[in-house]
Amino acid sequence: MHSIPFIVLDSLVYASWLFMVASGLTLIYGVMKVLNIAHGSLYAFGAYANAWLIGWFFSNFTEYDFLSFFFIHLSALSIGIILGVFIERFFLRKIYFRDEIVIVLVTYGLFLIFEDVMKLIFGTSSYLPYQPRMMLGNVDVLSIPYVIYDLGIIFVATFIWALFYFTIKYTKLGKLLLSVINDREMSSALGINVNKFFIYTFTFGCLLGCLGGAVSAPMISVVPGIGVEVIVLAFAVVVTGGLGSVSGAAIGALFIGIARTIAIFYAPQLELFIVFFVMAIILSFKPEGLFGSKETRKI
């Protein structure tokens, strides 16, 4: 019983991290019907950029250490916008109405290219930008210290979900976005600039992927290949919650986060297995995911 509060906290932190990464992936699919395999590379680019900036900053300006938190947003914004516009403008725009497998192959090719580009830019050595995480210190939970930075991820993920919910539910932009999601041809006929929605959506989804990496950098060792693990986990989350549903991604991340944390506490050898076991169980009862919907066939 003593370990229950830590299981809850660890589950929420891990689920929040998963949601931050998966929300961009499911947003892009929901609006554009694009399965973006390169999303894992965007996560890795965000982590590398933040790690490099923090390392450079603390090597030259140690007296202003509080400014290191600024680099989390800077790296996510700069890398997300640059890569998002680049991928959409030069690759995806040419294949929007092609078969989905073509889009998957193109984004997978970009994923492989980006993995090598990161090695050329940042090298193959590991980065560990621990300073921002250590600066915030700890808070006592039942007389055991818990890192405040990790708890902050829960609030960031909650803010992202609330931003999505408020935008879709209560703004004109959200109504137009729903129109594009449900029928892009009719939306275009009614005068909505669908291409503009596509590039804004894709760029924002890429930004969320980079933000997940930038936030994660102080918690992990940033090494080549981290994007591979992340894209697999992100797909597990969005498939569990329902492709295209942001709320589904949040609930799917929560289910997987709880199951993984329980496995780590009581059966560590099942850590990786349990993620896909939860996905398989849910899909066996609801093949379209928790919040997914069956697509109607257009004739």
Side-chain angles (χ1 to χ4, degrees), residues 15-269:
S16 299
W17 170 77
L18 277 179
F19 172 71
M20 275 196 293
V21 180
S23 59
L25 186 65
T26 199
L27 172 69
I28 291 170
Y29 182 83
V31 177
M32 305 167 65
K33 296 297 181 286
V34 170
L35 283 171
N36 183 23
I37 307 296
H39 201 75
S41 293
L42 296 168
Y43 168 90
F45 262 118
Y48 265 113
N50 186 34
W52 184 87
L53 283 171
I54 289 176
W56 168 81
F57 180 79
F58 276 96
S59 297
N60 297 278
F61 306 100
T62 53
E63 65 273 20
Y64 304 109
D65 53 0
F66 64 93
L67 291 176
S68 61
F69 292 100
F70 171 73
F71 292 122
I72 295 175
H73 308 89
L74 177 63
S75 54
L77 281 171
S78 56
I79 299 297
I81 292 173
I82 292 171
L83 289 181
V85 172
F86 172 74
I87 295 171
E88 197 279 338
R89 181 65 59 88
F90 293 101
F91 295 96
L92 295 183
R93 185 168 294 188
K94 305 177 188 301
I95 57 172
Y96 277 142
F97 300 102
R98 301 286 295 275
D99 192 88
E100 285 188 12
I101 191 63
V102 175
I103 299 176
V104 170
L105 289 174
V106 169
T107 57
Y108 178 66
L110 288 172
F111 171 79
L112 296 178
I113 293 170
F114 287 153
E115 288 296 302
D116 286 335
V117 168
M118 277 183 282
K119 292 176 185 176
L120 291 173
I121 296 174
F122 300 105
T124 57
S125 300
S126 62
Y127 291 73
L128 184 60
Y130 61 89
Q131 292 89 343
R133 188 168 182 248
M134 295 297 100
M135 281 169 51
L136 291 180
N138 304 321
V139 62
D140 284 343
V141 178
L142 298 180
S143 301
I144 297 179
Y146 203 92
V147 182
I148 295 175
Y149 183 93
D150 295 1
L151 296 177
I153 294 177
I154 300 174
F155 295 100
V156 174
T158 304
F159 173 78
I160 292 172
W161 177 84
L163 179 64
F164 274 117
Y165 183 83
F166 178 82
T167 301
I168 297 295
K169 201 82 172 174
Y170 298 106
T171 66
K172 179 181 178 181
L173 176 64
K175 306 305 179 186
L176 293 175
L177 189 61
L178 286 175
S179 175
V180 173
I181 291 171
N182 289 307
D183 197 324
R184 66 178 69 171
E185 292 86 1
M186 184 61 70
S187 299
S188 182
L190 292 172
I192 299 174
N193 191 334
V194 175
N195 285 335
K196 183 183 290 186
F197 269 92
F198 277 6
I199 190 169
Y200 288 164
T201 298
F202 189 79
T203 302
F204 188 66
C206 291
L207 193 153
L208 288 174
C210 291
L211 178 64
V215 169
S216 302
M219 304 169 59
I220 63 174
S221 178
V222 183
V223 295
I226 58 173
V228 178
E229 178 185 357
V230 165
I231 191 61
V232 172
L233 290 172
F235 268 116
V237 169
V238 299
V239 169
T240 300
L243 279 167
S245 172
V246 175
S247 293
I251 300 300
L254 190 60
F255 278 6
I256 289 175
I258 292 172
R260 174 187 173 273
T261 305
I262 292 174
I264 289 175
F265 270 77
Y266 299 111
Q269 66 274 17

